[in-house]
Amino acid sequence: MDTGWKIGGQTLKSRLFVGSARYPSPDLMAQAIRASMAEVVTVSLRRESAANKAGQRFWQLIRDIGINVLPNTAGCKSVEEAVTTAEMAREVFETNWIKLEVIGDDYTLQPDVFKLVEASAILNDKGFIVFPYTTEDLVVARELIATGCNILMPWGAPIGSGQGLNNISALKTLRARFPDINLLVDAGLGAPSHAAQAMELGFDGVLLNTAISEAGDPVSMARAFAHAVEAGYLAANAGIMPERDFAQPSTPEIGTPFWKTEINS
């Protein structure tokens, strides 16, 4: 059983991070977050500004749940915009955590990795704990780590696509090359099996939103993802059997079958 893991200066039991957008209602969002057993929720400053009274009920719900807030810079397209948003988020949400997003393409919402590295360097220097939303590129990961990041959040697939893990080989490489870095698959997961697969690869956690918020029953789906993440983690640590090119019998070929021994005894 997972007794906890350390990330961003916190010790958590759940390895599932969830988003807070696109739910049919705030109350259903709160129910789903509780059902997920997540201890971290991402929040967009642009939608939940403290100066905007429309966001006050949302913020109160988050406080009532008693969950860690991971503000994000969703929608930012420049270094300056991302840094400014992060600084505002630190003041509003009273946390040094920031999920850094710098979008480079409107169609795929792929991160602009050049601006991401630049913004990461600035924010690390300012004392933020940066959770960069990045691609699965090995060299980009190395550059982000060089700026001071000890957490990386490579995408599984484009945000909201539900495609799962599009580049398993590259994700495996990240895990192998950076064993001491917290790695979370962020974006593109559409089914609990996708989350379990990410955990089976040895990732430390997953972050998702749309797969829960747009499900027919968000509460049940949140519960399903919680179990999938736990199952994948347990499987990875138990030692998953290797794939083989040929069949291997599961019963002995030599000697007396166990049931014959029991019948004759």
Side-chain angles (χ1 to χ4, degrees):
M1 182 64 67
D2 191 2
T3 57
W5 62 304
K6 292 187 177 181
I7 183 169
Q10 298 283 341
T11 299
L12 306 174
K13 291 183 178 179
S14 173
R15 292 173 179 268
L16 174 62
F17 288 20
V18 295
S20 57
R22 306 181 69 89
Y23 282 90
S25 71
D27 289 333
L28 193 56
M29 176 203 70
Q31 292 176 44
I33 292 174
R34 289 190 175 98
S36 75
M37 295 184 285
E39 296 171 272
V40 177
V41 62
T42 60
V43 175
S44 172
L45 175 68
R46 292 185 168 201
R47 187 166 63 87
E48 309 304 340
S49 171
N52 182 1
K53 293 184 178 180
Q56 292 305 301
R57 182 162 180 258
F58 168 90
W59 184 229
Q60 188 57 51
L61 282 172
I62 296 298
R63 289 183 181 276
D64 290 344
I65 294 170
I67 194 169
N68 294 293
V69 172
L70 175 59
N72 64 50
T73 61
C76 293
K77 296 181 179 181
S78 70
V79 173
E80 294 77 12
E81 188 179 18
V83 170
T84 299
T85 300
E87 291 175 328
M88 293 173 63
R90 177 157 62 180
E91 181 177 347
V92 170
F93 299 111
E94 300 177 342
T95 178
N96 287 330
W97 284 13
I98 191 70
K99 179 188 172 187
L100 179 60
E101 299 181 31
V102 186
I103 300 302
D105 182 75
D106 290 333
Y107 181 71
T108 63
L109 299 181
Q110 178 171 326
D112 184 324
V113 294
F114 305 101
K115 295 176 182 177
L116 181 70
V117 170
E118 184 179 347
S120 176
I122 294 171
L123 292 175
N124 274 297
D125 285 345
K126 289 177 176 288
F128 283 88
I129 298 174
V130 180
F131 293 64
Y133 166 61
T134 182
T135 64
E136 72 279 23
D137 186 274
L138 174 66
V139 176
V140 173
R142 185 185 299 145
E143 292 299 314
L144 287 168
I145 293 170
T147 70
C149 293
N150 57 18
I151 302 162
L152 298 177
M153 304 182 76
W155 66 350
I159 294 173
S161 69
Q163 295 174 10
L165 307 183
N166 278 349
N167 195 341
I168 293 176
S169 178
L171 292 173
K172 284 182 177 179
T173 299
L174 288 182
R175 181 69 288 172
R177 293 290 293 272
F178 305 116
D180 299 324
I181 297 294
N182 274 309
L183 297 178
L184 295 87
V185 171
D186 176 16
L189 305 183
S193 58
H194 297 157
Q197 185 180 27
M199 299 304 295
E200 288 170 2
L201 294 179
F203 276 69
D204 299 290
V206 300
L207 190 156
L208 54 97
N209 188 141
T210 310
I212 293 177
S213 65
E214 295 190 359
D217 182 347
V219 176
S220 293
M221 187 61 75
R223 192 174 295 115
F225 269 103
H227 290 304
V229 169
E230 178 71 6
Y233 172 82
L234 291 173
N237 283 271
I240 299 171
M241 67 172 287
E243 293 184 3
R244 301 186 177 98
D245 293 331
F246 302 99
Q248 178 173 307
S250 57
T251 54
E253 296 179 345
I254 300 176
T256 304
F258 71 90
W259 64 83
K260 187 174 182 179
T261 302
E262 293 176 353
I263 293 173
N264 294 332
S265 61

PDB file of all heavy atoms in Angstrom, residues 24-57:
ATOM      1  N   PRO A  24     -20.659  20.464 -14.734  1.00  0.00           N
ATOM      2  CA  PRO A  24     -22.016  20.981 -14.912  1.00  0.00           C
ATOM      3  C   PRO A  24     -22.429  21.974 -13.829  1.00  0.00           C
ATOM      4  O   PRO A  24     -23.231  22.877 -14.080  1.00  0.00           O
ATOM      5  CB  PRO A  24     -22.883  19.718 -14.861  1.00  0.00           C
ATOM      6  CG  PRO A  24     -21.966  18.614 -15.289  1.00  0.00           C
ATOM      7  CD  PRO A  24     -20.631  18.995 -14.731  1.00  0.00           C
ATOM      8  N   SER A  25     -21.878  21.800 -12.619  1.00  0.00           N
ATOM      9  CA  SER A  25     -22.212  22.715 -11.527  1.00  0.00           C
ATOM     10  C   SER A  25     -21.100  22.676 -10.489  1.00  0.00           C
ATOM     11  O   SER A  25     -20.358  21.684 -10.392  1.00  0.00           O
ATOM     12  CB  SER A  25     -23.533  22.310 -10.867  1.00  0.00           C
ATOM     13  OG  SER A  25     -23.376  21.109 -10.122  1.00  0.00           O
ATOM     14  N   PRO A  26     -20.973  23.739  -9.686  1.00  0.00           N
ATOM     15  CA  PRO A  26     -19.953  23.737  -8.628  1.00  0.00           C
ATOM     16  C   PRO A  26     -20.163  22.610  -7.623  1.00  0.00           C
ATOM     17  O   PRO A  26     -19.196  22.016  -7.147  1.00  0.00           O
ATOM     18  CB  PRO A  26     -20.143  25.116  -7.976  1.00  0.00           C
ATOM     19  CG  PRO A  26     -20.733  25.965  -9.049  1.00  0.00           C
ATOM     20  CD  PRO A  26     -21.642  25.061  -9.802  1.00  0.00           C
ATOM     21  N   ASP A  27     -21.422  22.320  -7.295  1.00  0.00           N
ATOM     22  CA  ASP A  27     -21.683  21.262  -6.326  1.00  0.00           C
ATOM     23  C   ASP A  27     -21.238  19.899  -6.838  1.00  0.00           C
ATOM     24  O   ASP A  27     -20.674  19.087  -6.093  1.00  0.00           O
ATOM     25  CB  ASP A  27     -23.177  21.225  -5.978  1.00  0.00           C
ATOM     26  CG  ASP A  27     -23.608  22.423  -5.147  1.00  0.00           C
ATOM     27  OD1 ASP A  27     -22.754  22.974  -4.424  1.00  0.00           O
ATOM     28  OD2 ASP A  27     -24.784  22.814  -5.236  1.00  0.00           O
ATOM     29  N   LEU A  28     -21.475  19.642  -8.119  1.00  0.00           N
ATOM     30  CA  LEU A  28     -21.057  18.377  -8.706  1.00  0.00           C
ATOM     31  C   LEU A  28     -19.533  18.298  -8.768  1.00  0.00           C
ATOM     32  O   LEU A  28     -18.947  17.228  -8.567  1.00  0.00           O
ATOM     33  CB  LEU A  28     -21.657  18.218 -10.099  1.00  0.00           C
ATOM     34  CG  LEU A  28     -21.559  16.818 -10.729  1.00  0.00           C
ATOM     35  CD1 LEU A  28     -22.184  15.767  -9.818  1.00  0.00           C
ATOM     36  CD2 LEU A  28     -22.242  16.807 -12.088  1.00  0.00           C
ATOM     37  N   MET A  29     -18.900  19.432  -9.011  1.00  0.00           N
ATOM     38  CA  MET A  29     -17.444  19.478  -8.983  1.00  0.00           C
ATOM     39  C   MET A  29     -16.921  19.053  -7.614  1.00  0.00           C
ATOM     40  O   MET A  29     -16.012  18.218  -7.511  1.00  0.00           O
ATOM     41  CB  MET A  29     -16.945  20.882  -9.299  1.00  0.00           C
ATOM     42  CG  MET A  29     -15.435  21.045  -9.202  1.00  0.00           C
ATOM     43  SD  MET A  29     -14.916  22.753  -8.925  1.00  0.00           S
ATOM     44  CE  MET A  29     -15.489  23.017  -7.228  1.00  0.00           C
ATOM     45  N   ALA A  30     -17.506  19.608  -6.564  1.00  0.00           N
ATOM     46  CA  ALA A  30     -17.070  19.291  -5.205  1.00  0.00           C
ATOM     47  C   ALA A  30     -17.277  17.810  -4.898  1.00  0.00           C
ATOM     48  O   ALA A  30     -16.412  17.159  -4.301  1.00  0.00           O
ATOM     49  CB  ALA A  30     -17.822  20.156  -4.202  1.00  0.00           C
ATOM     50  N   GLN A  31     -18.398  17.267  -5.307  1.00  0.00           N
ATOM     51  CA  GLN A  31     -18.666  15.844  -5.080  1.00  0.00           C
ATOM     52  C   GLN A  31     -17.648  14.971  -5.802  1.00  0.00           C
ATOM     53  O   GLN A  31     -17.159  13.971  -5.255  1.00  0.00           O
ATOM     54  CB  GLN A  31     -20.074  15.495  -5.557  1.00  0.00           C
ATOM     55  CG  GLN A  31     -21.207  16.117  -4.750  1.00  0.00           C
ATOM     56  CD  GLN A  31     -22.560  15.791  -5.353  1.00  0.00           C
ATOM     57  OE1 GLN A  31     -22.836  14.663  -5.750  1.00  0.00           O
ATOM     58  NE2 GLN A  31     -23.420  16.794  -5.439  1.00  0.00           N
ATOM     59  N   ALA A  32     -17.333  15.326  -7.044  1.00  0.00           N
ATOM     60  CA  ALA A  32     -16.392  14.538  -7.831  1.00  0.00           C
ATOM     61  C   ALA A  32     -14.987  14.602  -7.240  1.00  0.00           C
ATOM     62  O   ALA A  32     -14.283  13.587  -7.180  1.00  0.00           O
ATOM     63  CB  ALA A  32     -16.390  15.017  -9.277  1.00  0.00           C
ATOM     64  N   ILE A  33     -14.570  15.781  -6.803  1.00  0.00           N
ATOM     65  CA  ILE A  33     -13.242  15.919  -6.213  1.00  0.00           C
ATOM     66  C   ILE A  33     -13.130  15.066  -4.962  1.00  0.00           C
ATOM     67  O   ILE A  33     -12.133  14.364  -4.750  1.00  0.00           O
ATOM     68  CB  ILE A  33     -12.928  17.393  -5.903  1.00  0.00           C
ATOM     69  CG1 ILE A  33     -12.765  18.185  -7.206  1.00  0.00           C
ATOM     70  CG2 ILE A  33     -11.660  17.508  -5.061  1.00  0.00           C
ATOM     71  CD1 ILE A  33     -12.585  19.674  -7.005  1.00  0.00           C
ATOM     72  N   ARG A  34     -14.158  15.086  -4.153  1.00  0.00           N
ATOM     73  CA  ARG A  34     -14.144  14.247  -2.942  1.00  0.00           C
ATOM     74  C   ARG A  34     -14.087  12.768  -3.303  1.00  0.00           C
ATOM     75  O   ARG A  34     -13.354  11.990  -2.691  1.00  0.00           O
ATOM     76  CB  ARG A  34     -15.368  14.543  -2.086  1.00  0.00           C
ATOM     77  CG  ARG A  34     -15.338  15.902  -1.390  1.00  0.00           C
ATOM     78  CD  ARG A  34     -16.451  16.024  -0.361  1.00  0.00           C
ATOM     79  NE  ARG A  34     -16.351  17.264   0.394  1.00  0.00           N
ATOM     80  CZ  ARG A  34     -17.055  18.361   0.125  1.00  0.00           C
ATOM     81  NH1 ARG A  34     -17.893  18.364  -0.911  1.00  0.00           N
ATOM     82  NH2 ARG A  34     -16.907  19.448   0.847  1.00  0.00           N
ATOM     83  N   ALA A  35     -14.854  12.375  -4.317  1.00  0.00           N
ATOM     84  CA  ALA A  35     -14.884  10.971  -4.728  1.00  0.00           C
ATOM     85  C   ALA A  35     -13.539  10.526  -5.293  1.00  0.00           C
ATOM     86  O   ALA A  35     -13.169   9.348  -5.184  1.00  0.00           O
ATOM     87  CB  ALA A  35     -15.976  10.749  -5.772  1.00  0.00           C
ATOM     88  N   SER A  36     -12.804  11.444  -5.901  1.00  0.00           N
ATOM     89  CA  SER A  36     -11.504  11.104  -6.486  1.00  0.00           C
ATOM     90  C   SER A  36     -10.437  10.850  -5.428  1.00  0.00           C
ATOM     91  O   SER A  36      -9.393  10.273  -5.732  1.00  0.00           O
ATOM     92  CB  SER A  36     -11.029  12.239  -7.402  1.00  0.00           C
ATOM     93  OG  SER A  36     -10.569  13.355  -6.640  1.00  0.00           O
ATOM     94  N   MET A  37     -10.685  11.318  -4.211  1.00  0.00           N
ATOM     95  CA  MET A  37      -9.725  11.223  -3.101  1.00  0.00           C
ATOM     96  C   MET A  37      -8.432  11.974  -3.403  1.00  0.00           C
ATOM     97  O   MET A  37      -7.399  11.762  -2.774  1.00  0.00           O
ATOM     98  CB  MET A  37      -9.429   9.767  -2.740  1.00  0.00           C
ATOM     99  CG  MET A  37     -10.646   9.029  -2.194  1.00  0.00           C
ATOM    100  SD  MET A  37     -10.304   7.335  -1.662  1.00  0.00           S
ATOM    101  CE  MET A  37     -10.150   6.510  -3.259  1.00  0.00           C
ATOM    102  N   ALA A  38      -8.481  12.869  -4.412  1.00  0.00           N
ATOM    103  CA  ALA A  38      -7.313  13.685  -4.749  1.00  0.00           C
ATOM    104  C   ALA A  38      -7.036  14.672  -3.621  1.00  0.00           C
ATOM    105  O   ALA A  38      -7.946  15.085  -2.898  1.00  0.00           O
ATOM    106  CB  ALA A  38      -7.545  14.425  -6.057  1.00  0.00           C
ATOM    107  N   GLU A  39      -5.782  15.043  -3.504  1.00  0.00           N
ATOM    108  CA  GLU A  39      -5.381  16.033  -2.500  1.00  0.00           C
ATOM    109  C   GLU A  39      -4.883  17.323  -3.131  1.00  0.00           C
ATOM    110  O   GLU A  39      -4.476  18.241  -2.430  1.00  0.00           O
ATOM    111  CB  GLU A  39      -4.294  15.441  -1.597  1.00  0.00           C
ATOM    112  CG  GLU A  39      -4.763  14.251  -0.783  1.00  0.00           C
ATOM    113  CD  GLU A  39      -3.623  13.561  -0.068  1.00  0.00           C
ATOM    114  OE1 GLU A  39      -3.004  12.656  -0.672  1.00  0.00           O
ATOM    115  OE2 GLU A  39      -3.333  13.945   1.086  1.00  0.00           O
ATOM    116  N   VAL A  40      -4.925  17.377  -4.454  1.00  0.00           N
ATOM    117  CA  VAL A  40      -4.491  18.566  -5.185  1.00  0.00           C
ATOM    118  C   VAL A  40      -5.481  18.842  -6.303  1.00  0.00           C
ATOM    119  O   VAL A  40      -5.872  17.932  -7.044  1.00  0.00           O
ATOM    120  CB  VAL A  40      -3.082  18.387  -5.790  1.00  0.00           C
ATOM    121  CG1 VAL A  40      -2.692  19.620  -6.601  1.00  0.00           C
ATOM    122  CG2 VAL A  40      -2.051  18.119  -4.694  1.00  0.00           C
ATOM    123  N   VAL A  41      -5.901  20.098  -6.429  1.00  0.00           N
ATOM    124  CA  VAL A  41      -6.791  20.510  -7.512  1.00  0.00           C
ATOM    125  C   VAL A  41      -6.168  21.707  -8.227  1.00  0.00           C
ATOM    126  O   VAL A  41      -5.613  22.607  -7.588  1.00  0.00           O
ATOM    127  CB  VAL A  41      -8.200  20.874  -6.986  1.00  0.00           C
ATOM    128  CG1 VAL A  41      -8.152  22.047  -6.018  1.00  0.00           C
ATOM    129  CG2 VAL A  41      -9.163  21.164  -8.136  1.00  0.00           C
ATOM    130  N   THR A  42      -6.220  21.690  -9.548  1.00  0.00           N
ATOM    131  CA  THR A  42      -5.701  22.826 -10.308  1.00  0.00           C
ATOM    132  C   THR A  42      -6.798  23.870 -10.485  1.00  0.00           C
ATOM    133  O   THR A  42      -7.972  23.533 -10.668  1.00  0.00           O
ATOM    134  CB  THR A  42      -5.183  22.393 -11.685  1.00  0.00           C
ATOM    135  OG1 THR A  42      -6.236  21.793 -12.433  1.00  0.00           O
ATOM    136  CG2 THR A  42      -4.033  21.418 -11.537  1.00  0.00           C
ATOM    137  N   VAL A  43      -6.382  25.121 -10.438  1.00  0.00           N
ATOM    138  CA  VAL A  43      -7.310  26.236 -10.522  1.00  0.00           C
ATOM    139  C   VAL A  43      -6.723  27.306 -11.437  1.00  0.00           C
ATOM    140  O   VAL A  43      -5.531  27.631 -11.337  1.00  0.00           O
ATOM    141  CB  VAL A  43      -7.573  26.846  -9.126  1.00  0.00           C
ATOM    142  CG1 VAL A  43      -8.454  28.079  -9.225  1.00  0.00           C
ATOM    143  CG2 VAL A  43      -8.208  25.823  -8.203  1.00  0.00           C
ATOM    144  N   SER A  44      -7.547  27.844 -12.325  1.00  0.00           N
ATOM    145  CA  SER A  44      -7.104  28.905 -13.217  1.00  0.00           C
ATOM    146  C   SER A  44      -7.371  30.258 -12.593  1.00  0.00           C
ATOM    147  O   SER A  44      -8.509  30.571 -12.240  1.00  0.00           O
ATOM    148  CB  SER A  44      -7.830  28.805 -14.563  1.00  0.00           C
ATOM    149  OG  SER A  44      -7.550  29.938 -15.358  1.00  0.00           O
ATOM    150  N   LEU A  45      -6.334  31.068 -12.456  1.00  0.00           N
ATOM    151  CA  LEU A  45      -6.488  32.418 -11.901  1.00  0.00           C
ATOM    152  C   LEU A  45      -7.428  33.249 -12.762  1.00  0.00           C
ATOM    153  O   LEU A  45      -8.221  34.035 -12.261  1.00  0.00           O
ATOM    154  CB  LEU A  45      -5.128  33.103 -11.803  1.00  0.00           C
ATOM    155  CG  LEU A  45      -5.158  34.560 -11.345  1.00  0.00           C
ATOM    156  CD1 LEU A  45      -5.592  34.651  -9.890  1.00  0.00           C
ATOM    157  CD2 LEU A  45      -3.802  35.212 -11.533  1.00  0.00           C
ATOM    158  N   ARG A  46      -7.374  33.071 -14.057  1.00  0.00           N
ATOM    159  CA  ARG A  46      -8.177  33.882 -14.967  1.00  0.00           C
ATOM    160  C   ARG A  46      -9.667  33.695 -14.717  1.00  0.00           C
ATOM    161  O   ARG A  46     -10.469  34.594 -14.932  1.00  0.00           O
ATOM    162  CB  ARG A  46      -7.852  33.516 -16.409  1.00  0.00           C
ATOM    163  CG  ARG A  46      -6.448  33.916 -16.809  1.00  0.00           C
ATOM    164  CD  ARG A  46      -6.204  33.660 -18.269  1.00  0.00           C
ATOM    165  NE  ARG A  46      -4.980  34.305 -18.700  1.00  0.00           N
ATOM    166  CZ  ARG A  46      -4.708  34.607 -19.958  1.00  0.00           C
ATOM    167  NH1 ARG A  46      -5.595  34.337 -20.902  1.00  0.00           N
ATOM    168  NH2 ARG A  46      -3.579  35.179 -20.278  1.00  0.00           N
ATOM    169  N   ARG A  47     -10.036  32.460 -14.279  1.00  0.00           N
ATOM    170  CA  ARG A  47     -11.456  32.189 -14.067  1.00  0.00           C
ATOM    171  C   ARG A  47     -11.875  32.487 -12.637  1.00  0.00           C
ATOM    172  O   ARG A  47     -13.018  32.804 -12.360  1.00  0.00           O
ATOM    173  CB  ARG A  47     -11.752  30.716 -14.390  1.00  0.00           C
ATOM    174  CG  ARG A  47     -13.220  30.367 -14.371  1.00  0.00           C
ATOM    175  CD  ARG A  47     -13.462  29.024 -15.027  1.00  0.00           C
ATOM    176  NE  ARG A  47     -12.804  27.940 -14.316  1.00  0.00           N
ATOM    177  CZ  ARG A  47     -13.343  27.282 -13.296  1.00  0.00           C
ATOM    178  NH1 ARG A  47     -14.546  27.610 -12.866  1.00  0.00           N
ATOM    179  NH2 ARG A  47     -12.707  26.314 -12.697  1.00  0.00           N
ATOM    180  N   GLU A  48     -10.927  32.390 -11.716  1.00  0.00           N
ATOM    181  CA  GLU A  48     -11.282  32.490 -10.309  1.00  0.00           C
ATOM    182  C   GLU A  48     -10.586  33.657  -9.616  1.00  0.00           C
ATOM    183  O   GLU A  48     -10.063  33.533  -8.525  1.00  0.00           O
ATOM    184  CB  GLU A  48     -10.938  31.170  -9.582  1.00  0.00           C
ATOM    185  CG  GLU A  48     -11.475  29.935 -10.257  1.00  0.00           C
ATOM    186  CD  GLU A  48     -12.978  29.969 -10.458  1.00  0.00           C
ATOM    187  OE1 GLU A  48     -13.660  30.739  -9.766  1.00  0.00           O
ATOM    188  OE2 GLU A  48     -13.464  29.232 -11.306  1.00  0.00           O
ATOM    189  N   SER A  49     -10.530  34.794 -10.255  1.00  0.00           N
ATOM    190  CA  SER A  49      -9.891  35.961  -9.666  1.00  0.00           C
ATOM    191  C   SER A  49     -10.567  36.357  -8.369  1.00  0.00           C
ATOM    192  O   SER A  49     -11.789  36.354  -8.250  1.00  0.00           O
ATOM    193  CB  SER A  49      -9.952  37.143 -10.642  1.00  0.00           C
ATOM    194  OG  SER A  49      -9.515  38.321 -10.016  1.00  0.00           O
ATOM    195  N   ALA A  50      -9.748  36.697  -7.393  1.00  0.00           N
ATOM    196  CA  ALA A  50     -10.306  37.081  -6.095  1.00  0.00           C
ATOM    197  C   ALA A  50     -11.127  38.355  -6.204  1.00  0.00           C
ATOM    198  O   ALA A  50     -11.984  38.634  -5.368  1.00  0.00           O
ATOM    199  CB  ALA A  50      -9.173  37.282  -5.083  1.00  0.00           C
ATOM    200  N   ALA A  51     -10.867  39.140  -7.230  1.00  0.00           N
ATOM    201  CA  ALA A  51     -11.618  40.373  -7.411  1.00  0.00           C
ATOM    202  C   ALA A  51     -12.971  40.140  -8.065  1.00  0.00           C
ATOM    203  O   ALA A  51     -13.807  41.031  -8.137  1.00  0.00           O
ATOM    204  CB  ALA A  51     -10.803  41.344  -8.261  1.00  0.00           C
ATOM    205  N   ASN A  52     -13.182  38.939  -8.536  1.00  0.00           N
ATOM    206  CA  ASN A  52     -14.422  38.616  -9.235  1.00  0.00           C
ATOM    207  C   ASN A  52     -15.370  37.889  -8.288  1.00  0.00           C
ATOM    208  O   ASN A  52     -15.134  36.756  -7.906  1.00  0.00           O
ATOM    209  CB  ASN A  52     -14.100  37.732 -10.462  1.00  0.00           C
ATOM    210  CG  ASN A  52     -15.352  37.395 -11.254  1.00  0.00           C
ATOM    211  OD1 ASN A  52     -16.447  37.826 -10.902  1.00  0.00           O
ATOM    212  ND2 ASN A  52     -15.176  36.633 -12.310  1.00  0.00           N
ATOM    213  N   LYS A  53     -16.456  38.521  -7.915  1.00  0.00           N
ATOM    214  CA  LYS A  53     -17.364  37.921  -6.943  1.00  0.00           C
ATOM    215  C   LYS A  53     -17.981  36.627  -7.456  1.00  0.00           C
ATOM    216  O   LYS A  53     -18.399  35.778  -6.673  1.00  0.00           O
ATOM    217  CB  LYS A  53     -18.467  38.920  -6.582  1.00  0.00           C
ATOM    218  CG  LYS A  53     -17.960  40.137  -5.808  1.00  0.00           C
ATOM    219  CD  LYS A  53     -19.098  41.043  -5.400  1.00  0.00           C
ATOM    220  CE  LYS A  53     -18.578  42.234  -4.595  1.00  0.00           C
ATOM    221  NZ  LYS A  53     -19.675  43.147  -4.186  1.00  0.00           N
ATOM    222  N   ALA A  54     -18.015  36.464  -8.770  1.00  0.00           N
ATOM    223  CA  ALA A  54     -18.596  35.244  -9.323  1.00  0.00           C
ATOM    224  C   ALA A  54     -17.779  34.024  -8.957  1.00  0.00           C
ATOM    225  O   ALA A  54     -18.283  32.896  -8.965  1.00  0.00           O
ATOM    226  CB  ALA A  54     -18.699  35.360 -10.844  1.00  0.00           C
ATOM    227  N   GLY A  55     -16.514  34.232  -8.623  1.00  0.00           N
ATOM    228  CA  GLY A  55     -15.662  33.101  -8.278  1.00  0.00           C
ATOM    229  C   GLY A  55     -15.614  32.787  -6.802  1.00  0.00           C
ATOM    230  O   GLY A  55     -14.980  31.819  -6.388  1.00  0.00           O
ATOM    231  N   GLN A  56     -16.291  33.597  -5.999  1.00  0.00           N
ATOM    232  CA  GLN A  56     -16.200  33.413  -4.557  1.00  0.00           C
ATOM    233  C   GLN A  56     -16.821  32.108  -4.072  1.00  0.00           C
ATOM    234  O   GLN A  56     -16.298  31.453  -3.172  1.00  0.00           O
ATOM    235  CB  GLN A  56     -16.857  34.596  -3.844  1.00  0.00           C
ATOM    236  CG  GLN A  56     -16.103  35.896  -4.009  1.00  0.00           C
ATOM    237  CD  GLN A  56     -14.647  35.776  -3.580  1.00  0.00           C
ATOM    238  OE1 GLN A  56     -14.354  35.442  -2.444  1.00  0.00           O
ATOM    239  NE2 GLN A  56     -13.742  36.038  -4.511  1.00  0.00           N
ATOM    240  N   ARG A  57     -17.943  31.694  -4.667  1.00  0.00           N
ATOM    241  CA  ARG A  57     -18.566  30.440  -4.257  1.00  0.00           C
ATOM    242  C   ARG A  57     -17.658  29.262  -4.592  1.00  0.00           C
ATOM    243  O   ARG A  57     -17.522  28.320  -3.816  1.00  0.00           O
ATOM    244  CB  ARG A  57     -19.931  30.255  -4.934  1.00  0.00           C
ATOM    245  CG  ARG A  57     -20.629  28.971  -4.493  1.00  0.00           C
ATOM    246  CD  ARG A  57     -22.120  29.011  -4.808  1.00  0.00           C
ATOM    247  NE  ARG A  57     -22.753  27.785  -4.374  1.00  0.00           N
ATOM    248  CZ  ARG A  57     -23.100  26.775  -5.185  1.00  0.00           C
ATOM    249  NH1 ARG A  57     -22.898  26.885  -6.479  1.00  0.00           N
ATOM    250  NH2 ARG A  57     -23.652  25.681  -4.723  1.00  0.00           N
TER     251      ARG A  57
END
